[in-house]
């Protein structure tokens, strides 16, 4: 018996939206659909395989489980340089939350975006961002009044202006207008945790940004 495979990836490539991890997860979930014992490719196995092949457990976990996810790895024998087993936990996101992705016309390789990051950061900046990450959990669960403070960052956005000048400038402009905007992944897409007003989206579309207002997927990867 032959097999005909048709793939359609609606996630823009090279834009900081996790398209590579989503494609790997899609392939693994499709393979599970052909198995007589699908439990052999349980979600935790898919997470491990996708991380091994693609390298981003945070992106893979979101594609597998849906919602908002927190992914982590356990160092092997205390060696922080050697990635160990990965795991993930899922959050039940505020049911009314939508997000707006502002996708530019040009792509940017992740390695380029990473090349401008410093090898170390000040302790104060690390502590600041750790607190904001914890705050973001509350914001995603329904405390939208915390969203602006929760999306402040000192670890990567200030350094990436060198290669993401237009994206960083857009984040600053949106935040000055009260929109909780961040760089999506390694960029150059700008993500707003909320719905950007239609007039503002129209203006940005005229400047080369493709606005996508997206619901939060709550099911994750599945066989249709």
């Amino acid at each position: 018996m032959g097999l005909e495979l048709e793939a359609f990836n609606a996630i823009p490539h090279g834009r900081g939206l996790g398209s590579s991890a989503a494609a790997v997860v899609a392939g693994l979930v499709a393979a599970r659909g052909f198995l007589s014992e699908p439990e052999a490719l349980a979600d935790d196995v898919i997470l491990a395989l996708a991380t091994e092949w693609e390298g981003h457990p945070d992106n893979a976990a979101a594609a597998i489980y849906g919602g908002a996810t927190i992914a982590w790895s356990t160092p092997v024998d205390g060696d922080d340089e050697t990635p160990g087993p990965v795991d993930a936990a899922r959050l039940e996101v505020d049911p009314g939350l939508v997000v707006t992705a502002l996708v530019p016309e040009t792509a940017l390789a992740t390695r380029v975006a990473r090349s401008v990051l410093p090898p170390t950061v000040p302790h104060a900046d690390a502590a600041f961002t750790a607190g904001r990450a914890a705050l973001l959990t509350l914001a995603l669960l329904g405390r939208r009044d915390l969203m602006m403070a929760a999306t402040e960052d000192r670890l990567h956005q200030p350094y990436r202006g060198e290669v993401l000048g237009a994206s960083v400038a857009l984040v600053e402009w949106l935040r000055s207008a009260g929109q909780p905007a961040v760089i999506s992944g390694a960029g150059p897409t700008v993500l707003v945790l909320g719905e950007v007003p239609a007039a503002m989206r129209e203006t940005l579309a005229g400047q080369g940004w493709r606005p996508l207002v997206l619901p939060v997927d709550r099911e994750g990867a599945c066989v249709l």
Side-chain angles (χ1 to χ4, degrees):
M1 182 178 69
L3 174 67
E4 182 177 345
L5 178 66
E6 183 176 349
F8 176 71
N9 191 346
I11 305 174
H13 297 180
R15 303 301 200 284
L17 291 168
S19 64
S20 298
V24 171
V25 168
L28 288 166
V29 171
R32 178 166 65 190
F34 285 100
L35 296 180
S36 59
E37 297 180 355
E39 61 274 10
L41 275 179
D43 286 347
D44 60 334
V45 176
I46 289 179
L47 176 61
L49 289 172
T51 301
E52 179 182 351
W53 295 346
E54 199 272 336
H56 294 94
D58 47 353
N59 290 345
I64 295 166
Y65 300 108
T69 57
I70 301 170
W72 68 94
S73 63
T74 303
V76 177
D77 297 327
D79 180 6
D80 291 337
E81 299 299 322
T82 303
V86 294
D87 209 338
R90 184 179 184 276
L91 302 176
E92 291 295 337
V93 180
D94 174 4
L97 180 66
V98 298
V99 299
T100 304
L102 298 163
V103 186
E105 296 174 353
T106 56
L108 179 71
T110 300
R111 59 179 174 74
V112 175
R114 286 181 175 172
S115 69
V116 297
L117 298 180
T120 61
V121 296
H123 182 274
D125 288 349
F128 176 93
T129 304
R132 292 308 193 271
L135 192 63
L136 182 59
T137 302
L138 289 176
L140 290 172
L141 293 177
R143 289 292 306 274
R144 296 193 205 179
D145 58 307
L146 302 176
M147 198 68 82
M148 282 295 293
T151 50
E152 293 176 322
D153 166 77
R154 292 184 185 175
L155 285 189
H156 80 108
Q157 291 180 171
Y159 302 103
R160 284 182 161 151
E162 180 181 338
V163 294
L164 293 174
S167 298
V168 171
L170 178 56
V171 167
E172 294 174 351
W173 179 75
L174 287 166
R175 294 186 68 84
S176 70
Q179 300 292 323
V182 296
I183 299 294
S184 178
T189 294
V190 171
L191 188 69
V192 179
L193 296 180
E195 184 172 355
V196 174
M200 193 176 289
R201 297 200 308 268
E202 185 176 345
T203 297
L204 292 169
Q207 298 173 355
W209 298 89
R210 178 187 173 198
L212 302 173
V213 181
L214 307 168
V216 176
D217 172 59
R218 300 175 191 281
E219 185 175 6
C222 61
V223 177
L224 298 179

